[in-house]
Amino acid sequence: MDSARVVERFGLDAGVGEWLAACEGLPEPGVGLKVPTGSAAAEVLDMFVLAENDRAELEALWPGADGPGGEWPQELWHLVGCMYRRLWADTDLPAGVWRPWPELVEAQDARVRAASLWAFAAMVPEQLRRHAQRGIDRSVTVATLADVGVQVLRSRRLFGHLSVETAAWVAAQFRDRLFWVGGLQLEPALLGDQGPVGWYPPEEARALGAGFAVGDPVLRLHIPSGGLRPESVQDALERARPFAREQLGVDAVVATCTSWLLDPWWGQVLGEESNIVRFQRRFTLVGEGSPGEGDVFRFVFGMPRVEVERAPRRTRLERAAVERLESGRGLKVCTGWLRLP
């Protein structure tokens, strides 16, 4: 199957075709593609913790399902197969390396928008096996897999239909680059500048002491929705370093977080009792940050674009963000660090 046929069949852009063509040259997966069916599919979907309407729509499109959605053309199988091949090829991806993933959220065919989910579903048995082999507690694996449903729900909130816009993010967990431990998600990586993730220049970083140099291991912290209760954050931080050392072979002395939540301005308007502000106070900021309006609109308002005039003002957080932008001042994404207990 030529990837050009996939692009033509589903009206995809040239970038997707290039991504698929690169996947075609990868080694054969250790286990051939087998999208689970029947009770095995139900078990995987239970672990994904999809919202009821997302699950129902996805099941109707499942290969072999009754109805037109279950009749899959060769081009769709090729798309899912390339994604599955990419996941297998990257199972031992070095820390700090990020792989792109095609964004299919605007595809007309719902099966194409959801194609990543079938590749992920086929990968679950290998994920369970690898985690068990490493001694990772099954509760961590199950919690990590549950983020699939979170991302699908967020995508529907943003775009109004079944899709997984953040498939590149979800793919990271199948590459052992993302783990949900307690109230935080942990991403083993290396210290240094990478996109919006900032760090100090080499000499300044080394002056902070052992474990702070550019290229040293780090745990990047990510905050699930509603995951900022101080006791939950503290528990996750206390578990983070032992988990990484014992299960991942990574001994990081520092953790970083890059988020709109670390914009110091929130501390001026939300007050010291706010969980956002309490979270901020744990970190030392690096640099001045970068524009963060897009992230605020995505995560606070559930809007894919910055449209101040359409933004609701239901909560103190929403009102503060709108007033800030209406005043002509911006919002930021900032990187902060803390020493792990």
Side-chain angles (χ1 to χ4, degrees):
M1 169 70 65
D2 190 312
S3 292
R5 282 179 53 188
V6 178
V7 170
E8 182 179 2
R9 170 73 184 259
F10 298 118
L12 307 178
D13 63 44
V16 176
E18 292 171 3
W19 189 89
L20 293 173
C23 291
E24 291 172 354
L26 295 173
E28 288 293 327
V31 176
L33 173 64
K34 184 179 180 181
V35 176
T37 57
S39 60
E43 184 178 356
V44 168
L45 290 174
D46 287 344
M47 288 188 283
F48 285 175
V49 196
L50 294 160
E52 185 176 348
N53 58 332
D54 289 330
R55 177 164 179 163
E57 186 173 345
L58 187 64
E59 287 178 328
L61 301 173
W62 209 266
D66 293 335
E71 295 296 328
W72 278 25
Q74 288 184 337
E75 291 86 351
L76 185 58
W77 279 113
H78 186 72
L79 175 61
V80 175
C82 283
M83 292 174 169
Y84 181 70
R85 187 185 290 257
R86 178 80 269 173
L87 291 174
W88 263 95
D90 292 342
T91 50
D92 292 310
L93 196 66
V97 177
W98 179 259
R99 293 283 193 220
W101 196 270
E103 292 187 7
L104 302 172
V105 70
E106 299 294 347
Q108 294 300 307
D109 192 318
R111 297 172 301 181
V112 174
R113 297 196 302 269
S116 303
L117 296 174
W118 286 294
F120 299 151
M123 198 69 184
V124 165
E126 176 63 10
Q127 177 85 326
L128 295 172
R129 186 193 69 80
R130 288 171 63 87
H131 280 204
Q133 189 176 50
R134 284 188 164 190
I136 295 172
D137 192 279
R138 187 178 174 91
S139 65
V140 172
T141 307
V142 170
T144 302
L145 288 168
D147 194 46
V148 175
V150 172
Q151 300 305 319
V152 173
L153 183 62
R154 179 173 291 147
S155 199
R156 185 180 287 277
R157 183 186 179 201
L158 287 167
F159 300 101
H161 53 231
L162 179 69
S163 60
V164 54
E165 185 215 14
T166 49
W169 167 263
V170 177
Q173 68 170 267
F174 291 98
R175 297 165 174 152
D176 287 347
R177 296 273 67 84
L178 190 67
F179 301 88
W180 199 328
V181 179
L184 297 172
Q185 289 169 310
L186 311 179
E187 178 192 355
L190 301 177
L191 288 170
D193 288 324
Q194 187 178 29
V197 178
W199 195 238
Y200 300 102
E203 289 188 10
E204 191 174 348
R206 284 195 299 270
L208 292 171
F212 283 78
V214 173
D216 280 348
V218 62
L219 293 181
R220 293 180 182 167
L221 307 178
H222 303 280
I223 308 100
S225 299
L228 282 179
R229 290 182 299 110
E231 59 272 22
S232 176
V233 171
Q234 185 61 34
D235 172 69
L237 291 175
E238 291 175 357
R239 295 171 60 184
R241 190 175 182 186
F243 171 81
R245 184 173 53 235
E246 295 163 14
Q247 267 71 53
L248 309 181
V250 174
D251 192 12
V253 302
V254 62
T256 64
C257 180
T258 301
S259 174
W260 64 272
L261 292 163
L262 295 189
D263 185 339
W265 181 75
W266 298 116
Q268 301 176 30
V269 294
L270 298 181
E272 294 298 322
E273 295 304 309
S274 162
N275 283 343
I276 290 176
V277 177
R278 289 177 175 180
F279 184 73
Q280 286 186 352
R281 297 296 186 245
R282 296 175 181 270
F283 294 87
T284 299
L285 295 185
V286 180
E288 297 299 320
S290 56
E293 293 83 3
D295 279 22
V296 171
F297 267 74
R298 292 175 64 83
F299 294 108
V300 175
F301 298 109
M303 298 170 63
R305 291 173 293 278
V306 177
E307 299 178 276
V308 178
E309 67 282 358
R310 292 186 56 238
R313 305 180 187 217
R314 300 161 295 197
T315 67
R316 182 169 56 163
L317 183 65
E318 290 175 346
R319 289 191 294 273
V322 171
E323 290 168 7
R324 175 77 170 179
L325 295 176
E326 285 182 336
S327 72
R329 294 170 293 177
L331 298 165
K332 295 190 292 186
V333 165
C334 297
T335 295
W337 65 267
L338 54 77
R339 288 182 182 270
L340 287 166

